[in-house]
Amino acid sequence: GSQVYRYLRKYRGVLVTNYREFAFIDGTGDEALIARPERQLAASEAEFWQLVQDPSQLDPEVAMLLGDFLGLSLRYSVPITEPKELAQELAVHARRARADLAEADISRLDTLRSELEQSLGIEFVGTRGTRFFIATIVQTVFYGLFSAWAQWSRDPKVDVNEAPFKWRHAGKYLRVPVLQDVFDEVTKSANVRALDIEAHLDRAGRVFSRVRQDELFSKFDGEAAIEYFYEPFLEAYDPALRQEFGVWYTPRPLVNYMVERVDTILREELGIEDGLA
């Protein structure tokens, strides 16, 4: 309506709600300005008033996703200068993608699921296994998104001011084969539409346009980018899952020590002249 357009002209972004449905209209992009409800607190007015009377009826997952959505709406134009801020912002989009993926038919990822089971030596069995598989896929895609953006940002052939980063081109900037394979399989045109995660990747891709790259990359060496992303992303994405499966980032100095120590033991104590080699 006219009121929304007046706000858009002045503020470039408008949060629209009837208290039980919520939509955010971004007036800064090229997309058609259509307010489709993105988050729903209640399916009807009667259900809404029941929640008002008894908030304990609210599904915790719905509450979390609504909080994520409102947070994204409030921060839609805020510059990002810290690695932790970027990680947390992308984690919100990852959680929303995971929620929609949990409702989708993921049978088209059966081949990828089988390949991961073989390579990791595990099986994604039952409800818990499927949950872990979905969480793993989403994490991997978003790690890939960040890694590709970090490489793209430092590509001398790219003018970051001329054209924005596109998640569809991320595959060619991924250097780790398994990361590239998973990212490419999940983001195939047919898969990304059927799995209902395209909108989440689009929005996650636009997050990078808010990054002040000089400030953010000044916080660390380019090769160490993933180290500054991994911990805060996983903590924001799913701290319970992180704890449950014991997923922690091991600092590079500790890894170096472990490798050197094993190599020394092999050579000096076990008589294997070439050590790890």
Side-chain angles (χ1 to χ4, degrees):
S2 60
Q3 182 183 16
V4 171
Y5 275 100
R6 287 198 302 273
Y7 280 127
L8 271 174
R9 281 194 294 270
K10 184 169 184 178
Y11 298 109
R12 306 300 292 165
V14 182
L15 180 65
V16 184
T17 181
N18 59 5
Y19 295 113
R20 63 183 178 85
E21 294 178 314
F22 298 81
F24 181 77
I25 307 177
D26 181 359
T28 63
D30 299 326
E31 298 178 0
L33 299 176
I34 301 175
R36 298 185 182 90
E38 293 188 44
R39 282 295 136 205
Q40 187 179 75
L41 190 60
S44 66
E45 187 176 344
E47 185 180 323
F48 171 76
W49 287 113
Q50 288 177 358
L51 286 176
V52 172
Q53 296 298 321
D54 183 9
S56 65
Q57 295 182 35
L58 181 61
D59 185 334
E61 179 80 1
V62 172
M64 180 194 72
L65 292 172
L66 177 59
D68 284 346
F69 169 74
L70 294 175
L72 290 173
S73 300
L74 292 170
R75 299 189 303 270
Y76 83 103
S77 63
V78 176
I80 296 173
T81 60
E82 296 288 338
K84 186 175 182 178
E85 293 173 353
L86 177 57
Q88 291 173 338
E89 191 88 354
L90 290 177
V92 172
H93 289 288
R95 278 204 302 267
R96 299 175 76 196
R98 182 186 61 188
D100 283 349
L101 197 58
E103 301 295 327
D105 177 11
I106 61 171
S107 61
R108 60 178 52 245
L109 297 179
D110 281 351
T111 300
L112 178 60
R113 184 173 186 156
S114 177
E115 289 174 351
L116 280 176
E117 287 178 334
Q118 291 178 29
S119 63
L120 297 175
I122 62 173
E123 291 186 2
F124 300 110
V125 179
T127 302
R128 183 171 180 263
T130 298
R131 172 174 167 252
F132 183 46
F133 172 67
I134 290 174
T136 301
I137 289 300
V138 173
Q139 285 180 58
T140 305
V141 168
F142 276 79
Y143 290 154
L145 199 61
F146 172 81
S147 298
W149 170 79
Q151 294 297 331
W152 172 87
S153 299
R154 292 174 171 267
D155 185 345
K157 299 177 183 178
V158 170
D159 185 347
V160 297
N161 297 313
E162 282 293 321
F165 173 75
K166 298 290 187 182
W167 66 263
R168 296 181 186 279
H169 302 151
K172 67 179 182 179
Y173 288 100
L174 295 176
R175 296 178 175 177
V176 181
V178 67
L179 190 61
Q180 185 176 37
D181 290 345
V182 173
F183 189 91
D184 288 346
E185 180 64 26
V186 175
T187 58
K188 283 180 180 176
S189 295
N191 284 350
V192 81
R193 286 193 295 270
L195 297 172
D196 200 24
I197 61 173
E198 186 172 16
H200 300 299
L201 291 172
D202 286 339
R203 294 186 184 109
R206 287 198 291 272
V207 168
F208 295 112
S209 66
R210 291 165 40 208
V211 176
R212 291 182 175 170
Q213 295 183 22
D214 290 343
E215 292 186 49
L216 184 130
F217 283 113
S218 69
K219 306 294 192 303
F220 52 81
D221 176 73
E223 294 300 317
I226 198 67
E227 300 173 23
Y228 287 80
F229 175 82
Y230 185 94
E231 285 276 11
F233 175 85
L234 200 55
E235 181 63 30
Y237 175 63
D238 193 334
L241 190 70
R242 178 194 191 195
Q243 183 75 34
E244 180 180 356
F245 290 100
V247 182
W248 306 95
Y249 181 78
T250 307
R252 188 183 301 267
L254 183 55
V255 173
N256 290 341
Y257 169 78
M258 292 164 66
V259 171
E260 290 171 6
R261 183 63 181 150
V262 169
D263 182 66
T264 299
I265 290 174
L266 289 173
R267 287 185 292 101
E268 297 181 2
E269 298 183 23
L270 298 180
I272 301 176
E273 186 177 345
D274 290 334
L276 280 176

